[in-house]
Amino acid sequence: MSTIRWGILSTANIGRKAVTPAIQASQNGTVSAVASRTEADARSYADDLGIDRAYGSYDALLNDSDIDAIYNPLPNSLHKEWTIRALEAGKHVLCEKPFAVTAQDCLDMQAVADKAGVKLMEAFMYRFHPRSEAALQQVSGGAVGELRFIRSAFTFQIQDRDNIRLDADLGGGALMDVGCYCVNASRTLTGLEPVEAQAFARFGPSDVDEELYGTLRFENGVVAQFVCGLTLPRREHVTVGGDKGYLEIPRAFTAPKNEEVGLEHHPVGEPTTTQSFDAVDQYRLMTEHFGDAVLGNTTLRYDGHEAARNMSVIEALYRSARGGGKPQPVVAA
């Protein structure tokens, strides 16, 4: 086998606009089928994107023996159930972020993948952009000196109050939707797990956090602060600072695939420099990596255990936000 045959589990917008086209443009994958709760919706999606088979149920897709891997962009609260079903059907699964709604759910999913002997990964596409990889290398290489702080933001405004991101039963909320990126970037850049989390949140009428302001404290003294929101003007960046300077990463998570992006280095006492990176589809790079891991050409960069560690931090932040901002220990998954 040299090509991964993908099935798309639902007609969610992220799949339609980003991941399905990325797989179709990849060097090692093809999209063979899509499933929705109705055959009409699946057929419309398939016709729009040039996919051969359309199924009117998720089970029908999982029962297709010609499918090697599943992309799961269902609502957050459905990730665990349908990922496990796909894994038990012998399919490799790339599951949208956040992986699940609890750290234990993440571990349960990975346990099923291990038993079935298939690959499982969380779809944090930004990690595969060459700029993200360069930033990580520069921080670990001492470009900012001794790492002291990370500041990040990911905010935008939802106009439709019926958006699933505002539905508590579906695992909605700013932290789950976009704050998870800030948590993941903070952990990745430090290479450590935070020991304490503190958060203050503004909860909306549906009882989801529409804005959340978080702080993570790491054992080595690094502090990461972030803001995430579904009701704030669009903002997206990561700043990584130390005693010898800082890096600035604009549009850190959703770098456009048709534009160059930059990584700014602000060293103490020296001119600022900007490293440019050619336009690239980070979704394509992510799906190609996953496909290569399935094909045995590379080692999967991370799995459900990594997702569980990220979710452990998110759970601590929610405990703090629900408890009036009292700092909470991060319980390792």
Side-chain angles (χ1 to χ4, degrees):
M1 184 171 62
S2 61
T3 301
I4 302 302
R5 300 166 298 181
W6 288 82
I8 311 299
L9 195 67
S10 94
T11 56
N13 277 337
I14 184 65
R16 179 187 294 271
K17 295 180 179 179
V19 180
T20 298
I23 296 171
Q24 292 172 322
S26 71
Q27 297 180 4
N28 60 7
T30 183
V31 178
S32 299
V34 61
S36 184
R37 288 172 293 179
T38 69
E39 188 173 352
D41 286 346
R43 175 46 57 193
S44 175
Y45 186 105
D47 290 344
D48 287 346
L49 294 170
I51 301 170
D52 289 338
R53 299 193 295 282
Y55 293 113
S57 75
Y58 302 147
D59 282 321
L61 175 63
L62 302 187
N63 290 331
D64 187 336
S65 60
D66 290 331
I67 297 298
D68 306 306
I70 295 292
Y71 167 62
N72 180 0
L74 287 165
N76 300 333
S77 62
L78 299 178
H79 283 178
K80 179 183 181 181
E81 175 187 356
W82 286 100
T83 291
I84 286 179
R85 290 196 187 192
L87 296 169
E88 290 177 337
K91 314 299 186 186
H92 307 275
V93 180
L94 176 65
C95 183
E96 256 311 325
K97 41 57 55 184
F99 207 56
V101 295
T102 71
Q104 186 59 53
D105 284 348
C106 299
L107 296 176
D108 292 345
M109 293 156 69
Q110 185 59 49
V112 175
D114 292 340
K115 182 177 180 180
V118 291
K119 306 296 184 184
L120 176 62
M121 190 177 84
E122 186 172 23
F124 270 122
M125 74 295 181
Y126 85 96
R127 297 181 66 159
F128 296 87
H129 198 290
R131 181 180 60 176
S132 298
E133 296 173 342
L136 181 59
Q137 291 171 0
Q138 290 185 30
V139 171
S140 62
V144 301
E146 182 180 325
L147 183 60
R148 299 286 178 78
F149 72 89
I150 299 170
R151 295 193 184 118
S152 58
F154 200 165
T155 63
F156 70 104
Q157 292 179 319
I158 289 178
Q159 305 299 330
D160 179 10
R161 298 302 303 181
D162 292 328
N163 191 294
I164 63 170
R165 295 174 176 87
L166 300 177
D167 190 327
D169 290 337
L170 296 179
L175 179 56
M176 291 288 279
D177 189 55
V178 286
C180 61
Y181 285 97
C182 300
V183 172
N184 190 269
S186 299
R187 295 176 48 255
T188 301
L189 287 163
T190 60
L192 300 169
E193 300 302 324
V195 296
E196 187 177 66
Q198 183 177 25
F200 298 91
R202 187 185 304 275
F203 294 95
S206 61
D207 201 37
V208 302
D209 52 306
E210 297 187 356
E211 300 168 19
L212 187 137
Y213 306 85
T215 299
L216 306 177
R217 181 176 65 82
F218 293 82
E219 191 171 8
N220 64 349
V222 174
V223 174
Q225 296 176 311
F226 70 91
V227 54
C228 58
L230 307 176
T231 55
L232 298 170
R234 179 82 190 194
R235 190 174 179 220
E236 183 188 332
H237 77 90
V238 173
T239 302
V240 191
D243 61 345
K244 294 183 179 179
Y246 66 93
L247 298 178
E248 188 72 37
I249 313 173
R251 196 76 183 269
F253 305 115
T254 62
K257 68 178 182 179
N258 298 319
E259 299 176 20
E260 286 187 357
V261 294
L263 173 62
E264 301 173 12
H265 183 205
H266 300 259
V268 173
E270 299 179 25
T272 296
T273 60
T274 300
Q275 183 178 0
S276 295
F277 296 84
D278 291 338
V280 66
D281 184 351
Q282 57 189 359
Y283 290 97
R284 179 180 63 80
L285 296 178
M286 173 183 67
T287 62
E288 285 181 341
H289 168 78
F290 188 77
D292 279 342
V294 170
L295 294 168
N297 298 328
T298 191
T299 300
L300 196 66
R301 188 176 296 187
Y302 56 87
D303 61 13
H305 294 288
E306 157 67 10
R309 290 189 287 270
N310 210 62
M311 188 53 62
S312 292
V313 181
I314 290 173
E315 288 180 306
L317 287 162
Y318 272 135
R319 288 197 302 272
S320 177
R322 293 289 185 184
K326 182 179 179 181
Q328 295 291 318
V330 176
V331 180

